[in-house]
Amino acid sequence: MCAAGSTLRQAVDLAYSGVDVIDFEGKTYRRDIAYRALSAAEAPNRALSPTEEPMPSLTYAAAGVSVDAGNALVDAIKPVVKATRRPGADSNIGGFGGAFDLAAAGFRDPILVSGTDGVGTKLRVALDYGKHSTVGIDLVAMSVNDLIVQGAEPLYFLDYYACSKLEVGVAADVVTGIADGCLQAGCALIGGETAEMPGMYHSDDYDLAGFAVGAVERNLLLPAPDIKAGDALIALPSSGPHSNGYSLIRKIVTLSGLSLHSPAPWSPNQTVGDALLTPTKIYIKPLLPGIRNALFKGMSHITGGGFTENIPRIFETSSGLGVQLDLASYKLPEVWRWLMKTGNVAPVEMARTFNCGVGMIIVVGQEKVEAALQSLRDNGEEEAFVIGQVTSKAGVEYVGMEQWR
């Protein structure tokens, strides 16, 4: 909507008159257009009472938004952002948009894959514990791990950081973690948004969102159409709870009487806070060689919803396929045993809430199992193991769950 008038006030009034005649479901629009200029222009025309003091000139900083702090943050993060450059992106920040050159990245017939995610209430742990250097890695991991299950190499990442008052040191720690995650994933950090919004967040709280875009050659897009009953399932260990289930984890920790500074019962050399802030594992570099060599048929990133909700997402509903998991094929890590016992959480609830020590499931044809395992081990996943198989019955069947009790 555009409007022009002989005065700024007339132009603004005309614009809003035009907005009023437009109506559709979900309509939203800004109601503060030109408010600073109008305040400055109209304030001198109002007569003051004999006892009234003139209103001081307002600034953005007086409203709680520091442009200087935003500029300081950009200056602080430029070196770490620059370090994420890769073929296709130079990772210069400060412009209006980030560009990526697919041809320079070597793609011939690519399909783009995109994803977005956050860190959930793991942020509450970071805020309460005062450690902000790892949640940026989580932010990247949650999006890029979703891309890789479709065979896509992560190309670039953007972040959104929202807060009430911008603390440059805290925000710089977060963005440094994001850059670290991008380096682990091999993608460029090409831009982001820092939103300082007084009144929208309490105290020192902040929130994060991440956005990733990847590409895969058309012939390598996953899941493949030839998944069938009898195919093997390979599991890749997780680094801990990753970034899911923290509302339940925090509740169990609170009920246990432990603080974030207490020694972790499942890892006595760490505090509870440090253990719970272990970054989400990024699986990109171990998986890409197997994808490029067509060793994998499909994958599932085990996030919120655990095995029960995430593994069936590999299959078309009409396929009728499901999986059988042998939970006795690996040792349930101590953090999960502690949470299950302390919170009195049933094993079946564990399996549909947490990753339970497995962050990625890969579908592989039986004839390629050894080659797939070798590829994974050669590229850093030494502990990859076979956990089950695809079946002709939809859903997830658990074998050996009694081992968790």
Side-chain angles (χ1 to χ4, degrees):
M1 175 60 65
C2 297
S6 58
T7 66
L8 181 60
R9 167 55 68 186
Q10 185 182 55
V12 171
D13 289 345
L14 284 170
Y16 281 120
S17 295
V19 169
D20 287 341
V21 302
I22 300 171
D23 191 36
F24 56 88
E25 184 177 354
K27 172 183 170 181
T28 183
Y29 60 93
R30 289 186 57 172
R31 296 170 171 82
D32 61 349
I33 299 300
Y35 79 95
R36 287 194 298 276
L38 286 171
S39 297
E42 295 173 351
N45 298 325
R46 185 175 60 85
L48 299 176
S49 69
T51 59
E52 188 177 2
E53 293 290 332
M55 179 178 175
S57 177
L58 291 178
T59 65
Y60 212 7
V65 179
S66 174
V67 175
D68 291 338
N71 291 335
L73 174 62
V74 171
D75 289 339
I77 64 177
K78 276 184 178 179
V80 297
V81 173
K82 186 72 173 178
T84 70
R85 64 188 183 275
R86 54 152 292 159
D90 58 16
S91 290
N92 286 324
I93 59 171
F96 289 97
F100 193 93
D101 184 347
L102 276 171
F107 287 91
R108 300 181 304 278
D109 183 25
I111 291 177
L112 294 179
V113 182
S114 60
T116 182
D117 212 333
V119 183
T121 58
K122 190 173 187 176
L123 274 183
R124 186 75 261 161
V125 179
L127 285 159
D128 292 346
Y129 191 58
K131 181 178 179 180
H132 309 278
S133 57
T134 58
V135 289
I137 301 174
D138 293 306
L139 187 68
V140 175
M142 294 307 293
S143 286
V144 298
N145 286 343
D146 281 351
L147 300 186
I148 197 68
V149 300
Q150 292 185 258
E153 174 189 351
L155 302 178
Y156 60 86
F157 189 85
L158 301 102
D159 68 274
Y160 177 78
Y161 180 100
C163 60
S164 176
K165 178 176 174 56
L166 180 59
E167 297 290 345
V168 174
V170 171
D173 277 352
V174 172
V175 177
T176 298
I178 293 171
D180 187 2
C182 286
L183 286 170
Q184 292 183 39
C187 63
L189 178 56
I190 65 170
E193 165 72 359
T194 302
E196 191 173 20
M197 299 185 288
M200 291 292 291
Y201 294 89
H202 297 292
S203 184
D204 298 328
D205 286 0
Y206 62 87
D207 200 6
L208 297 174
F211 314 87
V213 174
V216 55
E217 296 292 357
R218 190 178 303 272
N219 64 308
L220 295 177
L221 184 67
L222 297 177
D226 61 341
I227 297 176
K228 63 181 187 298
D231 286 342
L233 302 176
I234 293 176
L236 303 185
S238 65
S239 57
H242 284 180
S243 299
N244 298 103
Y246 273 77
S247 294
L248 179 54
I249 291 171
R250 289 168 46 241
K251 187 174 184 66
I252 293 171
V253 170
T254 299
L255 291 173
S256 75
L258 295 173
S259 79
L260 294 177
H261 296 277
S262 302
W266 62 90
S267 181
N269 293 328
Q270 292 181 292
T271 63
V272 171
D274 280 329
L276 293 182
L277 290 172
T278 299
T280 303
K281 193 172 184 179
I282 294 176
Y283 294 97
I284 309 306
K285 293 179 179 178
L287 289 172
L288 277 175
I291 292 169
R292 290 167 178 163
N293 288 310
L295 295 177
F296 311 145
K297 291 187 175 185
M299 286 183 271
S300 175
H301 181 203
I302 309 302
T303 57
F307 298 135
T308 305
E309 300 297 329
N310 285 292
I311 297 177
R313 295 166 68 184
I314 299 173
F315 312 118
E316 292 284 349
T317 305
S318 59
S319 71
L321 296 175
V323 299
Q324 182 186 80
L325 298 184
D326 180 4
L327 300 183
S329 61
Y330 73 106
K331 182 180 178 182
L332 187 69
E334 288 303 314
V335 61
W336 305 114
R337 291 190 178 278
W338 184 85
L339 289 167
M340 186 164 49
K341 179 180 178 181
T342 307
N344 192 28
V345 183
V348 70
E349 182 69 13
M350 295 289 294
R352 69 176 184 184
T353 304
F354 301 115
N355 69 56
C356 297
V358 174
M360 191 71 68
I361 294 286
I362 310 167
V363 181
V364 179
Q366 288 289 350
E367 74 282 2
K368 294 185 178 179
V369 169
E370 290 307 316
L373 287 171
Q374 191 61 53
S375 175
L376 292 164
R377 291 164 181 163
D378 287 347
N379 290 284
E381 283 293 340
E382 292 88 355
E383 297 181 12
F385 63 97
V386 175
I387 193 174
Q389 63 179 344
V390 177
T391 67
S392 57
K393 179 183 177 182
V396 180
E397 177 189 358
Y398 296 105
V399 175
M401 185 172 273
E402 66 278 2
Q403 301 282 333
W404 286 8
R405 297 185 182 279

